[in-house]
Amino acid sequence: CAGGAGSPDRVYAMDVPTRSRMRLRMQSTYDGALHVRSDCANPSSEIACNDDHQDTRHSMVVSTLDPGRYYIFADGFSTSEQGDYSMRADLAPVAGGTAPADRCAAAGTVTAGQDVELDTFAAADDYQASCGGAGAPDTVYRLEVRERSRLRATLQQSEFPAVLYLQSTCGQQASEVACAAIGAGGQTELDTNVQPGTYFLVVDGAAQDNFGAARLEVQLENLQALETACRSAPRLRPGRTVTGDTGTSSDRFQATCAGNAQSNDLVYRLQLTRRSRVVITSEQQYDGALYIRRDCTDVTTEVACNDDEGDNRHSRVETTLDAGTYYVFVDGFANNSQGSFTLDVEVSRAQ
């Protein structure tokens, strides 16, 4: 990796007494690289190599190693990267079992609005879900929900590809409420509606060697407040241009596109009396997004989503919909994209 890593390097020996998980982290002032060999002078004995972990100033290698001596190289990309660096090596039993919040009996606690710093590196593989987690270390967190709510949970700055799942009975896959796969860096969130009660959030790896540190964020929103916004949504009428400004609102709804559309939003209602072809376009003074749902508060009912149509000041969704009521959301890309817009709707008979 790392363009051959032909830059100046330093090598370190590490003895592994028993079969273990290994994690190497390096932070550098240059475009660094890490690689590991079982035979110092033999390039073909390389076990793992990493150039960039989240950015060019960080590298990370994880693996499961048998007992023996290994050689760790602090290196650089291609042939001319060099400078200062710091490096840390960690070993943990391959079976885990020593991490905080490792099992249901010792579950940690997560509270909406209060982040949890976690690390599954030394955790055991106790659980799995419908979207993954078999064979990977996991940690579990108890969550109390006091009112009917929309739950959003995500992993920020995750070192590993993960799955995040919610159970009503800890450790019982049959009680699963929702499950989401989350990429390294935390790009996807678990988003579901829940009734009052006690729940358990499990942070798991997507595969056997997927473990590491992350920050768990949880938000709860009162569903009654969201439903009130949906009931009062203005009706869209084909042929009539709507003007608005999302700066007058807040971030209440999210989408599958546009960086999850976690910006201020406004919602409108579209009534169709028959199966129709629907084209909705918007022009914004910001990086906007458009999406449609069948159920206003249920993210799983999204039927269309668009971020940019030609440029980031225009959005367009085109789809064929059955008769019924739909909800159209004017939103913004990722965070803090808001401002004025115009919205147009065209409805014609479906072919």
Side-chain angles (χ1 to χ4, degrees), residues 92-177:
V94 72
T98 62
D102 198 4
R103 294 181 175 86
C104 290
T109 300
V110 62
T111 303
Q114 297 180 10
D115 301 347
V116 173
E117 301 290 339
L118 62 90
D119 194 342
T120 65
F121 175 64
D125 171 31
D126 299 302
Y127 314 112
Q128 67 181 78
S130 62
C131 65
D138 43 60
T139 53
V140 59
Y141 304 89
R142 183 187 183 103
L143 172 68
E144 298 292 341
V145 178
R146 301 188 182 280
E147 57 192 5
R148 198 165 60 92
S149 303
R150 178 189 179 192
L151 165 66
R152 287 189 288 161
T154 190
L155 294 180
Q156 297 293 338
Q157 301 175 347
S158 177
E159 290 184 334
F160 60 103
V163 292
L164 183 61
Y165 45 99
L166 185 71
Q167 298 176 336
S168 58
T169 301
C170 191
Q172 293 190 12
Q173 189 173 349
S175 74
E176 182 180 297
V177 177

Side-chain angles (χ1 to χ4, degrees), residues 31-287:
D31 190 352
L34 272 174
H35 48 106
V36 182
R37 295 179 186 174
S38 58
D39 183 338
C40 186
N42 184 2
S44 66
S45 72
E46 183 178 281
I47 295 168
C49 181
N50 177 255
D51 175 14
D52 301 333
H53 178 69
Q54 299 182 359
D55 61 47
T56 61
R57 297 297 185 261
H58 294 82
S59 303
M60 187 175 77
V61 167
V62 296
S63 187
T64 300
L65 301 178
D66 289 324
R69 172 163 287 190
Y70 295 87
Y71 299 90
I72 301 167
F73 293 79
D75 213 322
F77 181 83
S78 191
T79 59
S80 59
E81 295 290 335
Q82 56 189 301
D84 297 329
Y85 65 88
S86 60
M87 184 167 60
R88 176 187 172 96
D90 293 302
L91 293 175
V94 72
T98 62
D102 198 4
R103 294 181 175 86
C104 290
T109 300
V110 62
T111 303
Q114 297 180 10
D115 301 347
V116 173
E117 301 290 339
L118 62 90
D119 194 342
T120 65
F121 175 64
D125 171 31
D126 299 302
Y127 314 112
Q128 67 181 78
S130 62
C131 65
D138 43 60
T139 53
V140 59
Y141 304 89
R142 183 187 183 103
L143 172 68
E144 298 292 341
V145 178
R146 301 188 182 280
E147 57 192 5
R148 198 165 60 92
S149 303
R150 178 189 179 192
L151 165 66
R152 287 189 288 161
T154 190
L155 294 180
Q156 297 293 338
Q157 301 175 347
S158 177
E159 290 184 334
F160 60 103
V163 292
L164 183 61
Y165 45 99
L166 185 71
Q167 298 176 336
S168 58
T169 301
C170 191
Q172 293 190 12
Q173 189 173 349
S175 74
E176 182 180 297
V177 177
C179 187
I182 299 181
Q187 300 305 309
T188 306
E189 67 179 9
L190 184 149
D191 192 330
T192 190
N193 296 341
V194 292
Q195 299 295 324
T198 300
Y199 296 87
F200 296 87
L201 268 171
V202 183
V203 180
D204 212 330
Q208 180 178 352
D209 285 337
N210 294 157
F211 45 70
R215 186 175 73 248
L216 176 62
E217 296 182 354
V218 174
Q219 294 179 320
L220 290 173
E221 296 175 87
N222 187 322
L223 268 178
Q224 184 175 352
L226 296 180
E227 289 167 348
T228 298
C230 293
R231 284 194 299 269
S232 61
R235 183 174 177 179
L236 292 176
R237 300 186 184 277
R240 297 186 185 179
T241 298
V242 172
T243 61
D245 190 332
T246 59
T248 64
S249 185
S250 60
D251 173 32
R252 301 165 298 176
F253 305 95
Q254 288 75 41
T256 59
C257 71
N260 294 132
Q262 300 178 63
S263 297
N264 290 5
D265 47 62
L266 290 173
V267 58
Y268 297 88
R269 180 168 49 93
L270 177 64
Q271 190 75 40
L272 300 178
T273 58
R274 62 187 179 189
R275 182 172 170 81
S276 303
R277 175 179 171 271
V278 176
V279 179
I280 305 175
T281 57
S282 63
E283 181 175 355
Q284 306 90 212
Q285 300 304 310
Y286 60 99
D287 191 351

